[in-house]
Amino acid sequence: METSKSAGLGNAGRWVILALLAIGVLTSFVDRTSISTVLADANFIQRFGLTNIQRGWINAAFFWSYGAFQIPMGWVADRYGVKWPYAICFGFWCLATALMGTVTTVEALVLMRLIIGVCEAIVIPASYRWIRNNFDESNNGLAVGLLAMGNKFGPALGAPLVAWFIVNYSWKAMFVATGLVGLLWLVPWLLMVRNDLPSATELKTADRRARSVGLTSILASPVVWGGLITNFCYGYFTFFCMTWMPAYLVEQHGLSIAKSGIYTFFSFAGIAIVAAVAGWAADRIIARGHNAIAVRKAFIIAGFVGGCTVLLGAYAHSLEVALFWNVTSLSLLGLTTANNLALSRLTLIPKQAIGLVTGVQQVATSLAGGVAASLSGWLLHVGKSYDLPMNMIFLFLVIGAAATAILYRPEWAPKVGELDESHAASVAANK
């Protein structure tokens, strides 16, 4: 459906729209993670009388609604295209972000976070749907890596920007400004992206193809479960950094909010750059004739192992060493980013189920965000330091590396049903 409509874009056009998708992801991550810096602000904490456990739950609220709507939004992307569902949801989450600057109660704050989670659930399923219809295996790693730069530069740029607003203005002004400025993205999106809302005939075709790889087949696939595990384990570390890193740097290392924003920037800029370079490097190795699955698995495992150096920072005896490993460990995890996403959502997945599989796997990613935010708050409350949260990160990184090695096998990918196979044979016979 989208392939034919997008074919006229040309090579340059598809990269421009990919850049728009990356900026859309960046905007979503600025809006979803701005709360983490606010929750490190003593004035905000005192204003609402928050405990560590409450801070964890406020951080987690977004992820529960975000996770609950991943599969429905994957279904929407598979059947109704990318342009209009994305645009409508984008507008609503920007407005909800701006309204966070007007709240006066914890309940209202949580409600806005839940609304943002629902609306942002469209971002990843729609983005991967578009990439799968416009790029092939030789460019998947780079395309996904560039998209992933958006979700890493979001918190990288957002952390110092939000800190600057808080220091120079207020947390209320920050929410209003970031929410309203984000709406500017809709202008090039609506002007440049082709309308891919399907006709009645195309919708019937999309429904038939989607049914050929049903949810039962997807959930029966060890590859999908491998993706669920690796995305959870990867997400646990990154979402800890998105939700708790500012507080960790302020409370564990005595940095100011402004300085914590700078170090948060370097951490996420590092993982963003490594993700894009690693995706490109894997593409080039694959283009030389090497097995795509083996190459991407090697990068994924190396990233999980590299991320384990987070413990070197947690137990460092000097501030400089702690900050070095804090930045380095998250940056090394970038070896995993693009290659895991390309393997678990594109290479090993039937094309007609990309949106649904991405939605299913995003549930795990969302769950990782909710668990990382709330569990870390509880572990901090119990242990009175960040040692327990850091050890939990290490455990999940080891599990992620093991799941990659064991479960990513092509013979365990979701199976295409006979309905789609017979249709394809019929089409081929009539040509």
Side-chain angles (χ1 to χ4, degrees), residues 2 80-89 126 130 185-186 188-197:
E2 288 178 56
Y80 297 103
V82 173
K83 180 175 182 176
W84 287 108
Y86 201 145
I88 293 168
C89 290
W130 195 90
W185 178 90
L186 285 171
W189 177 261
L190 294 175
L191 291 175
M192 297 178 64
V193 178
R194 292 177 181 270
N195 183 5
D196 55 354
L197 186 68

Side-chain angles (χ1 to χ4, degrees), residues 142-402:
L142 178 58
V144 172
L146 292 174
L147 181 72
M149 289 184 75
N151 65 33
K152 301 305 180 291
F153 271 111
L157 297 174
L161 175 65
V162 169
W164 181 85
F165 259 106
I166 293 173
V167 171
N168 291 281
Y169 296 97
S170 68
W171 60 269
K172 293 182 178 182
M174 178 274 296
F175 282 127
V176 173
T178 55
L180 295 182
V181 170
L183 289 170
L184 295 174
W185 178 90
L186 285 171
V187 177
W189 177 261
L190 294 175
L191 291 175
M192 297 178 64
V193 178
R194 292 177 181 270
N195 183 5
D196 55 354
L197 186 68
S199 65
T201 300
E202 290 173 325
L203 185 56
K204 288 180 180 179
T205 301
D207 285 336
R208 176 190 51 74
R209 289 178 176 172
R211 288 196 302 270
S212 71
V213 188
L215 187 59
T216 301
S217 174
I218 288 171
L219 295 179
S221 168
V223 165
V224 172
W225 283 99
L228 289 170
I229 296 171
T230 57
N231 280 283
F232 180 92
C233 294
Y234 172 92
Y236 189 92
F237 187 9
T238 57
F239 283 123
F240 170 86
C241 294
M242 290 179 193
T243 56
W244 280 100
M245 183 180 287
Y248 167 72
L249 293 174
V250 170
E251 297 166 4
Q252 186 84 354
H253 296 298
L255 300 184
S256 66
I257 286 181
K259 287 186 177 179
S260 76
I262 293 173
Y263 280 100
T264 301
F265 166 81
F266 283 117
S267 295
F268 281 100
I271 190 174
I273 294 169
V274 172
V277 172
W280 173 83
D283 287 347
R284 301 284 66 77
I285 295 171
I286 293 166
R288 294 191 182 100
H290 295 277
N291 182 272
I293 297 172
V295 170
R296 298 204 191 279
K297 284 177 69 171
F299 273 90
I300 295 166
I301 294 171
F304 278 126
V305 173
C308 289
T309 58
V310 67
L311 284 188
L312 297 178
Y315 292 103
H317 296 295
S318 71
L319 175 62
E320 292 75 15
V321 173
L323 293 174
F324 171 81
W325 286 114
N326 193 65
V327 172
T328 301
S329 60
L330 190 61
S331 298
L332 290 175
L333 189 64
L335 296 170
T336 295
T337 309
N339 290 291
N340 184 54
L341 295 172
L343 197 56
S344 67
R345 301 180 182 184
L346 299 175
T347 304
L348 291 170
I349 304 302
K351 183 176 180 179
Q352 56 268 50
I354 296 296
L356 184 57
V357 170
T358 300
V360 169
Q361 292 186 354
Q362 279 296 107
V363 173
T365 302
S366 308
L367 182 63
V371 172
S374 54
L375 179 59
S376 297
W378 182 78
L379 292 173
L380 177 61
H381 174 76
V382 171
K384 308 302 181 185
S385 77
Y386 284 88
D387 290 349
L388 286 177
M390 291 299 181
N391 279 281
M392 188 61 66
I393 291 170
F394 175 82
L395 174 62
F396 281 123
L397 291 174
V398 172
I399 293 172

